[in-house]
Amino acid sequence: MKECVNLRAAEQPPAWPHVAAAVAPRCPAKTSEIRSLLAAVRADVPEFRRAESLAYPLAGRIGLIVMAMAQGVMRGPQDLADYAATLRQGQLGALRLHADRQSGARRCPGKTTFDRVLTAVADDALERVLRR
């Protein structure tokens, strides 16, 4: 019961912040909120790649970056990939990420996928999305 009191306290016990920093942030967004975000992203950053390249749609990847930044994930492509791995299947589906043909599970982008999107998208377009 003492832990519950500590959770409600104005300050956490000294050892807790260290543990909390090691835990990956979780996305609280509902699928309807994610779909709304994707509509806004598509308005500012249209898809420019060939249809064969769309396993990870551009709007979905940028939307994922926005969601990660809202949760405090800002240290680069590997942190973005780690954050993506925490998303539920419904959230990945709302981002329109494709399902694996064998397992049917939605796949989340990895580090190199985020590297590519961060270098391919114009800085001003990405900034517009983030500011909105």
Side-chain angles (χ1 to χ4, degrees):
M1 191 61 145
K2 182 179 177 184
E3 288 79 15
C4 292
V5 172
N6 286 338
L7 288 173
R8 292 188 300 264
E11 292 184 27
Q12 296 177 340
W16 286 23
H18 175 68
V19 173
V23 176
R26 292 263 182 207
C27 178
K30 297 177 183 168
T31 56
S32 60
E33 295 169 328
I34 295 171
R35 287 187 191 110
S36 176
L37 171 63
L38 285 188
V41 169
R42 280 191 210 101
D44 282 331
V45 187
E47 184 65 68
F48 59 86
R49 298 168 304 142
R50 296 184 323 253
E52 305 85 50
S53 304
L54 299 181
Y56 300 117
L58 185 61
R61 292 185 292 169
I62 293 174
L64 213 158
I65 291 169
V66 171
M67 292 163 45
M69 291 184 76
Q71 294 294 309
V73 177
M74 295 184 214
R75 291 183 298 211
Q78 184 60 56
D79 282 349
L80 291 170
D82 292 343
Y83 176 79
T86 69
L87 297 180
R88 298 183 308 270
Q89 287 292 301
Q91 292 169 320
L92 294 172
L95 289 165
R96 302 208 178 250
L97 302 180
H98 291 206
D100 182 78
R101 290 182 184 183
Q102 292 178 345
S103 70
R106 302 272 177 183
R107 298 177 294 163
C108 54
K111 178 186 179 296
T112 57
T113 301
F114 286 109
D115 278 332
R116 285 192 299 271
V117 75
L118 291 171
T119 57
V121 174
D123 292 342
D124 59 333
L126 188 55
E127 184 178 350
R128 272 194 312 274
V129 170
L130 293 172
R131 286 185 183 275
R132 187 190 296 183

